[in-house]
Amino acid sequence: MQFTMTTILAAALATLASSAAVGKRATSRLTLETSSTGLDGLVYRELIYSASSVFIGNLKYANTAEPLLLSGGAGGFTFTSFHSSPTGYQSMLIFPDESKPIGFTIPHSMAIPAGATATGFSQDGTSLLFNAEKKWKACPVAETAGTWQIYWDGAACLTDCVAIDLTVKNNCDA
């Protein structure tokens, strides 16, 4: 059977139309960044993945760090680390009612720890929200000058940290 360009285009349009009809949203690829307000010495504003958590700042030069390149849609985000073996996607998660760092599931696992969630994320303009709230904080990492770990402050108890806005950058349909 030989496919013509017309047949291929018709199939692609039918697929797009059926996705739109059931309200499916295309997956997006994105990165996150923050402003440097209150973060003295911050030069690199894009978020970094390391050790199943999220950081900003000088940790980008560590051999365990890599850019946080997320894929997402329908309320959740995934990430594929080239440091995991085997390489596998991980879901980003937070503990909504606790003050803990942003975390990720184990590669190739959809197991969400008790009290955590991997859904409920959205955007308001370019700001990343969780359940329509911005409770993101950057907490200094004592071992690495100029580095902050990113937390969700669900219990509102992180007093030595800086409130930040996580901004969606390079939001492109995949």
Side-chain angles (χ1 to χ4, degrees):
M1 178 187 309
Q2 189 172 18
F3 292 101
T4 65
M5 185 58 95
T6 305
T7 305
I8 294 170
L9 287 173
L13 287 173
T15 302
L16 287 173
S18 66
S19 293
V22 295
K24 290 185 180 177
R25 183 174 169 263
T27 299
S28 295
R29 306 217 13 103
L30 56 103
T31 59
L32 298 171
E33 69 176 25
T34 188
S35 72
S36 58
T37 305
L39 303 173
D40 295 336
L42 180 65
V43 176
Y44 186 73
R45 297 180 6 200
E46 285 190 358
L47 274 60
I48 304 157
Y49 172 90
S50 182
S52 291
S53 195
V54 180
F55 298 85
I56 191 166
N58 291 335
L59 188 71
K60 89 171 217 161
Y61 301 110
N63 62 3
T64 60
E66 60 188 288
L68 181 65
L69 304 172
L70 297 169
S71 295
F77 295 102
T78 59
F79 172 72
T80 303
S81 171
F82 56 74
H83 285 107
S84 66
S85 180
T87 302
Y89 74 93
Q90 300 170 263
S91 293
M92 186 171 87
L93 58 88
I94 63 167
F95 290 82
D97 301 321
E98 301 177 45
S99 297
K100 289 188 173 184
I102 295 174
F104 291 85
T105 59
I106 295 169
H108 294 293
S109 170
M110 289 304 293
I112 307 294
T117 185
T119 61
F121 299 99
S122 64
Q123 281 181 243
D124 179 17
T126 59
S127 293
L128 180 66
L129 308 174
F130 173 74
N131 285 346
E133 296 183 292
K134 296 183 209 180
K135 294 183 180 179
W136 309 110
K137 296 258 181 119
C139 300
V141 176
E143 303 83 34
T144 310
T147 299
W148 294 263
Q149 189 168 14
I150 308 302
Y151 282 70
W152 173 257
D153 194 12
C157 65
L158 298 173
T159 57
D160 293 334
C161 301
V162 177
I164 58 170
D165 184 28
L166 294 182
T167 305
V168 176
K169 183 179 171 195
N170 298 331
N171 194 352
C172 302
D173 289 336

